[in-house]
Amino acid sequence: MYPEYFNNSLKAVEEAREANIAYEPRRMTAEEKEELLASYHPDYKKSEFSVLKVGANKGESVPHELCELLEANARIKPEEIDLGNVAYDTDVLIIGGGGAGASAAIEADNAGAKAMIVTKLRIGDANTMMAEGGIQAADKPNDSPAIHYLDAFGGGHFAAKPELLAKLVCDAPEAILWLNELGVEFDKAPDGTMITTHGGGTSRKRMHAAKDYSGAEIMRTLRDEVLNRGIPVVDFTAAIELILDENGKAAGAVLMNMETKEIMVARAKTVIIATGGAGRMHYQGFPTSNHYGATADGLVLAYRAGAKLLYADTLQYHPTGAAFPQQIFGALVTEKVRSLGAKLVNRDGSVFMHPLETRDVAAASIIRECSDRNEGVDTGSGKAVWLDTPMIEKIGGEGTIEKRIPAMMRMFASYGIDIRKEPILVYPTLHYQNGGIDINVTGMSSCIENLYVAGEAVGGIHGRNRLMGNSLLDIIVFGRAAGKNAAEKSRDVKLGALTLEHITRFDEERKAAGIVTDAVSPKLLPDYRRKK
């Protein structure tokens, strides 16, 4: 139950509910959106960004926290690593055990390559598990990849690399089929037709889901497939540096056992970075919906080796993170809640935006409501707005919430809140790394041969904002592509002598730029110890 000081606001929301269900707020114009984003979205706060002094993106702005890691000291000294003492030798080394890494491993194995996954936590401990709402694909008669492309391109502020986005949407229907055949339990009608819904920024119902634990269901299936195939998985072992060969091509990684701190060398003909996002960096002090290991490791590894980043200055703040109770502050409240009919309302019960605006616009609208307009609800630890979940049952009928979003119902029920009868408090939470490593359509880095990237560590697929359902899609489409292409490439690779000279070169560049720091990277895990 909510504390008494919410009663007046709760009463206002309840009294306005019937009228709000019938009310259809207009969508913002392009000009209104741009003005809103420039004024309220965190990506536009220039004071929160630093200019890089070294590396392939020298002169570009990135968040302060990321800049510190990109310009930090390596965790190792090249002269202390015996590159001749090879602990693991494989064709395709996959760094990361989430959906992208697992998809890559399966397809590399299909192609006949010897693949291996190394992950700093366990296979499946990834943002893939945290995804709830669904996965997009234009596979219905009234839809097409072209329409999907237009939705995503516009939603990303027309900044996506066209060839990457085209691959994403064109390969989407086959990705759904692949997952379905692997055993993913998608929501289906009695006749077997997949049930699809709208998401923010979509003009067609193309969101395929497994209730509201779509990512967990997809990850369960991929993990089982990896393990059933006998693909080696090295858990609790982090990649702390890429290894190049004497020709500057990716040739493996230096690994560190997370428990014993033992250092090992993995040699590979091709390398795939699938390390996920950066939510645990808590940019600008925001809470996060991300899993514990989301600390931008792949960006750091690739950047120090000479790779270029794309749009590293843009993050996605999911508009609906749980804002009450404190125990689940920042936890994801899936966009599917809004696609089923719940609307965002302020403390007086007024609808202040269209419920299915794109995520960046929705997040900025909530921030505006809680700041300049002072129409947010005081939770005791900040301001928030209501997401009026009881609307769902009034629109879809009794039992809709338990059937379609059972995980949401259980999460809030644990704290005495029945979302079928009571609205929930939400505020934007750091959710997705829009920017990442620049790749071509094969998945290979634009700067480092034989280095492939898949999943959230990639930049350019979504532009400067991502639509709901396109992240679960990109880990499958580009994870599979990276696995296939890395395996194919590995057949003809002749490795040169292994080297870590790129660390020395980067150190020299840092010294010339006057950078003095005690920071080391990659970060690997967040630090939540109390500071004295």
Side-chain angles (χ1 to χ4, degrees):
M1 298 291 292
Y2 287 112
E4 288 187 8
Y5 61 84
F6 288 154
N7 284 350
N8 289 340
S9 185
L10 282 166
K11 184 178 179 181
V13 173
E14 187 175 348
E15 290 176 348
R17 185 167 294 136
E18 291 295 338
N20 284 341
I21 289 172
Y23 174 56
E24 185 68 21
R26 71 173 180 85
R27 289 186 180 271
M28 296 182 196
T29 65
E31 292 75 18
E32 287 172 329
K33 289 179 183 180
E34 286 304 317
E35 182 180 352
L36 174 72
L37 292 171
S39 300
Y40 297 98
H41 195 277
D43 279 357
Y44 291 75
K45 280 191 173 183
K46 292 183 179 180
S47 62
E48 297 294 335
F49 294 83
S50 298
V51 176
L52 287 166
K53 298 177 182 178
V54 294
N57 293 80
K58 179 179 177 180
E60 296 182 17
S61 296
V62 297
H64 297 316
E65 300 87 345
L66 180 59
C67 184
E68 181 182 40
L69 291 189
L70 292 177
E71 296 183 344
N73 301 291
R75 285 182 169 270
I76 57 172
K77 295 185 183 300
E79 64 272 15
E80 295 177 357
I81 306 300
D82 181 5
L83 295 177
N85 184 15
V86 177
Y88 301 101
D89 204 353
T90 190
D91 295 332
V92 182
L93 175 65
I94 300 154
I95 304 171
S103 297
I106 292 165
E107 290 295 11
D109 187 66
N110 270 342
K114 186 168 73 170
M116 183 181 88
I117 293 175
V118 59
T119 176
K120 67 182 175 183
L121 298 175
R122 298 167 299 178
I123 183 171
D125 282 340
N127 279 347
T128 304
M129 281 292 293
M130 321 292 279
E132 297 169 348
I135 176 171
Q136 284 202 48
D139 57 3
K140 292 293 178 71
N142 70 332
D143 203 358
S144 72
I147 299 173
H148 187 177
Y149 182 99
L150 291 174
D151 286 347
F153 199 47
H157 301 283
F158 308 98
K161 291 181 75 170
E163 65 274 23
L164 299 186
L165 183 55
K167 180 172 180 60
L168 181 77
V169 301
C170 289
D171 288 7
E174 205 273 327
I176 295 292
L177 180 62
W178 185 70
L179 290 171
N180 188 58
E181 290 176 346
L182 282 178
V184 172
E185 295 285 349
F186 286 111
D187 295 340
K188 295 176 183 176
D191 65 357
T193 302
M194 289 200 186
I195 296 170
T196 53
T197 57
H198 273 299
T202 64
S203 60
R204 300 289 188 275
K205 292 182 177 181
R206 69 172 72 93
M207 203 68 57
H208 302 66
K211 295 184 169 57
D212 60 345
Y213 42 78
S214 304
E217 172 61 11
I218 288 172
M219 192 68 244
R220 174 196 68 81
T221 305
L222 295 175
R223 180 180 58 228
D224 286 354
E225 185 69 13
V226 167
L227 298 178
N228 289 340
R229 285 170 173 263
I231 297 170
V233 178
V234 185
D235 287 324
F236 299 113
T237 300
I240 58 172
E241 201 66 48
L242 289 180
I243 297 172
L244 305 181
D245 72 4
E246 59 190 335
N247 302 309
K249 301 175 182 179
V254 178
L255 310 179
M256 183 183 76
N257 183 298
M258 293 291 286
E259 296 173 310
T260 67
K261 308 307 178 188
E262 177 189 3
I263 301 295
M264 296 161 286
V265 171
R267 180 170 59 197
K269 296 175 181 176
T270 56
V271 178
I272 300 174
I273 287 178
T275 51
R280 291 288 165 171
M281 300 292 291
H282 293 289
Y283 296 130
Q284 300 189 36
F286 271 80
T288 186
S289 63
N290 283 192
H291 82 106
Y292 192 60
T295 49
D297 297 352
L299 274 59
V300 172
L301 296 176
Y303 194 71
R304 191 150 51 225
K308 181 183 177 183
L309 306 182
L310 186 62
Y311 305 145
D313 60 328
T314 175
L315 288 302
Q316 182 168 90
Y317 297 80
H318 196 292
T320 54
F324 185 91
Q326 186 69 28
Q327 294 95 317
I328 53 171
F329 188 49
L332 181 64
V333 175
T334 172
E335 194 167 313
K336 190 173 182 180
V337 176
R338 285 180 284 143
S339 72
L340 290 173
K343 290 177 182 174
L344 290 159
V345 299
N346 61 24
R347 66 180 180 183
D348 298 321
S350 300
V351 176
F352 57 89
M353 57 163 281
H354 192 283
L356 292 179
E357 292 284 9
T358 56
R359 286 178 172 178
D360 55 349
V361 170
S365 295
I366 293 170
I367 292 170
R368 177 177 64 182
E369 204 70 11
C370 292
S371 56
D372 286 5
R373 289 185 174 178
N374 197 29
E375 290 292 341
V377 179
D378 189 348
T379 68
S381 56
K383 293 290 182 72
V385 298
W386 295 107
L387 183 54
D388 197 6
T389 49
M391 285 185 175
I392 296 172
E393 302 263 295
K394 288 186 172 290
I395 294 169
E398 187 176 345
T400 301
I401 285 176
E402 187 169 9
K403 181 180 179 182
R404 302 295 297 278
I405 48 172
M408 282 291 97
M409 190 177 85
R410 286 195 299 271
M411 180 170 76
F412 282 94
S414 298
Y415 301 97
I417 298 168
D418 186 346
I419 68 171
R420 297 169 297 185
K421 300 174 182 178
E422 301 168 296
I424 57 179
L425 285 162
V426 295
Y427 191 79
T429 184
L430 187 53
H431 184 59
Y432 190 81
Q433 181 177 267
N434 286 326
I437 303 162
D438 187 33
I439 63 169
N440 62 30
V441 77
T442 71
M444 190 187 293
S445 160
S446 60
C447 298
I448 303 175
E449 192 172 345
N450 298 343
L451 178 65
Y452 292 80
V453 193
E456 200 170 339
V458 173
I461 299 173
H462 309 287
R464 292 186 167 274
N465 181 59
R466 176 181 63 76
L467 298 189
M468 170 192 181
N470 279 348
S471 60
L472 281 178
L473 177 58
D474 89 46
I475 65 173
I476 304 302
V477 169
F478 286 92
R480 295 181 70 198
K484 290 176 184 176
N485 293 326
E488 178 69 27
K489 189 75 159 59
S490 71
R491 294 191 183 117
D492 301 320
V493 169
K494 303 296 182 186
L495 285 175
L498 304 187
T499 175
L500 292 169
E501 288 182 5
H502 64 277
I503 300 176
T504 304
R505 288 195 299 271
F506 197 75
D507 282 345
E508 290 171 351
E509 187 180 356
R510 290 191 312 123
K511 185 177 180 181
I515 297 171
V516 179
T517 177
D518 293 327
V520 295
S521 63
K523 190 179 183 71
L524 301 182
L525 294 174
D527 184 358
Y528 292 118
R529 291 174 296 182
R530 292 184 184 274
K531 305 295 189 296
K532 289 185 180 180

